[in-house]
């Protein structure tokens, strides 16, 4: 079975989302010696990252971008997979969001995610071979 270009793009978007999701998993997990539950530790970290006055504005922007990036990439993965199922083409806004996600990944220095996202954009933008 040959995968269409949009299905390949969808898989590459999903692959590029794994690094930021892994970073969130590490950030939200409790420390080994704390003895806290996962939910309590995650809540404490999220409260610190988004509401604490000690967090600098640049660090807060980094956490916001880190929250937006995997959501965008998963959304792009689902949309491109759906477009492939409908035998459609990737819409302009989809390609635009892919470039925005690539730039965010580069700004966060997540090079593997940026490379996978750029490859997904290449596959999403290709015209189907007739």
């Amino acid at each position: 079975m040959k995968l269409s270009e949009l299905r390949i793009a969808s898989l590459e978007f999903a692959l590029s989302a794994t690094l930021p999701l892994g970073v969130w998993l590490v950030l939200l997990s409790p420390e080994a010696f704390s003895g806290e539950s996962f939910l309590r530790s995650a809540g404490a970290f999220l409260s610190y990252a988004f509401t604490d006055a000690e967090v600098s504005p640049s660090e807060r922007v980094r956490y916001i971008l880190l929250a937006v990036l995997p959501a965008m990439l998963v959304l792009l993965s689902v949309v491109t997979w759906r477009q492939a199922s409908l035998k459609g083409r990737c819409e302009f806004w989809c390609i635009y969001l892919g470039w925005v996600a690539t730039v965010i990944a580069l700004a966060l220095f997540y090079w593997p995610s940026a490379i996978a996202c750029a490859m997904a954009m290449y596959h999403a933008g290709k015209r189907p071979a007739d």
Side-chain angles (χ1 to χ4, degrees):
M1 180 176 144
K2 184 178 176 187
L3 287 176
S4 71
E5 295 294 331
L6 284 178
R7 290 197 193 265
I8 292 171
S10 176
L11 294 174
E12 288 170 337
F13 280 130
L15 176 68
S16 63
T18 57
L19 177 65
L21 288 173
V23 169
W24 274 114
L25 182 66
V26 170
L27 288 174
L28 297 178
S29 62
E31 296 176 9
F33 59 88
S34 70
E36 290 184 356
S37 69
F38 180 81
L39 290 177
R40 184 177 298 268
S41 174
F45 178 78
L46 290 173
S47 174
Y48 164 77
F50 293 111
T51 62
D52 200 332
E54 287 183 14
V55 178
S56 69
S58 62
E59 192 174 1
R60 184 156 297 143
V61 167
R62 182 174 172 81
Y63 288 131
I64 290 169
L65 290 176
L66 186 58
V68 168
L69 182 62
M72 284 178 63
L73 292 170
V74 169
L75 172 73
L76 286 167
S77 178
V78 169
V79 167
T80 52
W81 191 271
R82 185 172 181 273
Q83 288 293 84
S85 298
L86 297 174
K87 305 275 191 238
R89 296 194 55 209
C90 199
E91 299 291 330
F92 174 75
W93 64 267
C94 179
I95 293 172
Y96 178 74
L97 280 180
W99 285 113
V100 170
T102 303
V103 169
I104 291 173
L106 287 173
L108 293 173
F109 297 109
Y110 295 151
W111 294 99
S113 288
I115 291 169
C117 190
M119 288 173 44
M121 292 311 310
Y122 169 75
H123 287 289
K126 278 179 77 173
R127 296 193 190 279
D130 293 326

